[in-house]
Amino acid sequence: MILWFRHLPQLSIDMSKWHPFIQNHWFRNHYMKFVYLLQVIILLIPNFMGGWLPHINTFILMLAGVMVFVLHEILHIMVIIKKGDISLTFKGIFFWIHTDAILSKARFWVFMSLPFVTLSMLPFILSFVSSEDIKSILLFVSWINTLISASDIINSFLIAIKPKNSEFRRGFYRLKQH
């Protein structure tokens, strides 16, 4: 079941087994500042690369940006759709997807990384073997998705440093029960 713009019911989590995904209290409190900083850096990339943004109608670029955002979220949902209920909410400019499923380290990493790999890294690599017009569009898609993926990028690194047998649920992780 997908809940649109509503939160999933609260969970009772055994804090003796589950630990906050971001354990450092200071970093947990300032996490979004790191996301904003990464987004500012990503926003400045076209300026450092000689203004490579495509010379296409602004409306078409905005439409392309919306399409990239929708594809980005669909890729996230595809990873977890059969694992449990999903809540799609937003806060400010950020769109959040939550599930009540317990995800393995590998599935949670794929959940966080698939949109970045598919819509940022792949178009960037393809831009090296494309004509100039297609190259500009591919770089735009890569850039706009990287901007959208700022939080996912940080989370992917945090997932990678967790123990191999970790399981994840709603902002917490635990070592897998045998």
Side-chain angles (χ1 to χ4, degrees), residues 93-150:
I93 62 169
F94 288 94
F95 192 74
W96 301 102
I97 297 176
H98 299 280
T99 182
D100 60 0
I102 296 174
L103 303 174
S104 68
K105 180 178 179 173
R107 184 173 290 269
F108 192 48
W109 188 83
V110 169
F111 170 74
M112 281 295 164
S113 303
L114 182 64
F116 178 70
V117 170
T118 305
L119 297 171
S120 292
M121 294 176 69
L122 187 60
F124 180 75
I125 292 167
L126 290 173
S127 74
F128 289 108
V129 295
S130 300
S131 68
E132 283 303 311
D133 291 336
I134 300 297
K135 179 179 185 166
S136 291
I137 293 169
L138 288 172
L139 287 174
F140 176 76
V141 167
S142 177
W143 173 72
I144 199 74
N145 188 69
T146 302
L147 186 65
I148 294 167
S149 298

Side-chain angles (χ1 to χ4, degrees), residues 13-24 28 101-105 108 158-177:
I13 294 180
D14 182 356
M15 297 304 283
S16 65
K17 295 179 182 173
W18 291 90
H19 310 285
F21 176 67
I22 301 174
Q23 292 186 302
N24 182 293
R28 189 172 46 247
I102 296 174
L103 303 174
S104 68
K105 180 178 179 173
F108 192 48
L158 295 174
I159 293 165
I161 63 174
K162 297 295 184 215
K164 188 181 248 183
N165 58 339
S166 296
E167 294 178 315
F168 299 86
R169 187 175 198 189
R170 293 249 197 119
F172 294 89
Y173 84 99
R174 70 177 178 192
L175 297 180
K176 191 173 188 174
Q177 306 295 314

